[in-house]
Amino acid sequence: MKNLNFLSLALIMILMTACDQQKNGTDAEVSEAKEVQDVNGSDTYAINTTESAITWIGSKPTGKHNGTIPINDGSIAVEDGKIVGGRIAMNINEISNDDLAGDQEMQLKLINHLRSPDFFDTENHPSAEFVITSVETYSKEDSVKVKKEFDSEYKPASAKEHMVESPTHKVTGNLTMRGKTLSVSFPANIKIQNNKVLARAKFNIDRTLWGLQYNNEANVVDKAKDKFIYNTVNVGFDISATENSSISQN
């Protein structure tokens, strides 16, 4: 009977933790897609795809994987010294992994799994897109929300641990992955100087909101067995763009 009571209490605690995680949501502010403003007439800065990168870190209780997603093309719209719009097109089909570089067989296996319907389903959704809807000056009131994670050696870095140092702006934009578009807001460090835009941002999102459901945290039994993958993904934007008046914003 004592063992049964202990197991019942443990199950209740796990369920309470799962419910608390759902209540806290994601670290970045996520909402329905927002309207994209017309930015015709602004100066256009072309993103340098070789100098820019999108990084990702995925975690599970037994380890982590990290890599990059290449940028196909993109541009940043600037007016009166302020960013007023922009677009980043990402090639999900060319997603890469870094931590398994010494084991090409395992690396290819992971990449193919990420391309599969379990995750990005690149056969049907080979690309992703981020479209800026607003950029505001960052203030102390724009503090990030920290999600409580199931405790393990490899749990994802929290928003405060992962976020970029010395944020200057709060960026909001529509992120489209796997055919789903949602608005995401996050802190960023942005500099506009010498005909260049340099922007860095690091934030967390819940992958399941975009339909990447494989081994998610919803199954408490799997969680107890440490077989799940954290819903939280650490994302990083490192963008370099150069002024190019010949490119127009859509």
Side-chain angles (χ1 to χ4, degrees):
M1 182 64 71
K2 289 183 178 179
N3 289 338
L4 181 59
N5 289 338
F6 176 78
L7 290 173
S8 298
L9 178 61
L11 181 58
I12 291 171
M13 292 300 293
I14 292 172
L15 287 170
M16 289 177 64
T17 301
C19 291
D20 192 38
Q21 288 178 347
Q22 292 174 3
K23 181 178 70 176
N24 278 302
T26 58
D27 297 323
E29 295 177 30
V30 179
S31 61
E32 293 300 314
K34 300 185 183 303
E35 182 180 355
V36 179
Q37 301 296 319
D38 182 5
V39 293
N40 287 329
S42 59
D43 297 325
T44 302
Y45 289 65
I47 292 178
N48 187 320
T49 58
T50 58
E51 293 181 1
S52 304
I54 308 296
T55 61
W56 61 268
I57 304 173
S59 306
K60 55 184 179 179
T62 55
K64 292 188 178 186
H65 293 301
N66 68 280
T68 60
I69 298 173
I71 297 174
N72 274 347
D73 60 72
S75 57
I76 306 295
V78 177
E79 189 171 345
D80 297 328
K82 298 180 180 180
I83 294 178
V84 294
R87 172 182 171 273
I88 301 173
M90 295 163 269
N91 187 350
I92 301 295
N93 202 44
E94 294 299 323
I95 188 170
S96 68
N97 163 268
D98 295 335
D99 62 280
L100 294 175
D103 189 337
Q104 293 187 355
E105 182 178 352
M106 289 299 296
Q107 186 180 57
L108 182 59
K109 182 178 179 180
L110 173 64
I111 291 172
N112 285 337
H113 195 193
L114 292 173
R115 291 171 177 163
S116 78
D118 283 344
F119 289 98
F120 289 102
D121 189 16
T122 59
E123 183 175 351
N124 295 304
H125 307 285
S127 61
E129 184 180 63
F130 181 73
V131 179
I132 297 173
T133 55
S134 69
V135 177
E136 305 168 346
T137 301
Y138 185 81
S139 69
K140 293 181 179 179
E141 286 70 30
D142 293 323
S143 58
V144 294
K145 181 186 292 186
V146 175
K147 174 186 173 183
K148 292 181 181 179
E149 302 284 3
F150 180 81
D151 195 25
S152 78
E153 180 181 356
Y154 297 101
K155 69 180 180 181
S158 72
K160 287 186 177 180
E161 294 170 325
H162 184 62
M163 71 180 287
V164 68
E165 294 184 5
S166 305
T168 58
H169 294 80
K170 177 182 177 180
V171 177
T172 299
N174 293 333
L175 176 60
T176 301
M177 295 190 299
R178 199 178 163 124
K180 180 71 175 290
T181 302
L182 293 170
S183 175
V184 180
S185 296
F186 50 83
N189 182 290
I190 298 174
K191 297 177 182 178
I192 303 176
Q193 57 189 25
N194 300 324
N195 296 323
K196 295 191 74 173
V197 173
L198 301 176
R200 295 184 66 250
K202 298 171 75 176
F203 56 96
N204 293 347
I205 59 172
D206 182 340
R207 62 187 172 93
T208 65
L209 296 178
W210 283 268
L212 284 72
Q213 297 285 347
Y214 182 77
N215 275 12
N216 68 66
E217 299 173 30
N219 192 322
V220 177
V221 174
D222 281 350
K223 177 179 291 187
K225 294 179 179 178
D226 289 348
K227 291 183 178 179
F228 73 98
I229 299 173
Y230 285 99
N231 292 355
T232 297
V233 177
N234 303 128
V235 179
F237 280 21
D238 195 344
I239 305 298
S240 175
T242 305
E243 186 171 9
N244 184 349
S245 58
S246 64
I247 298 178
S248 61
Q249 290 284 323
N250 293 324

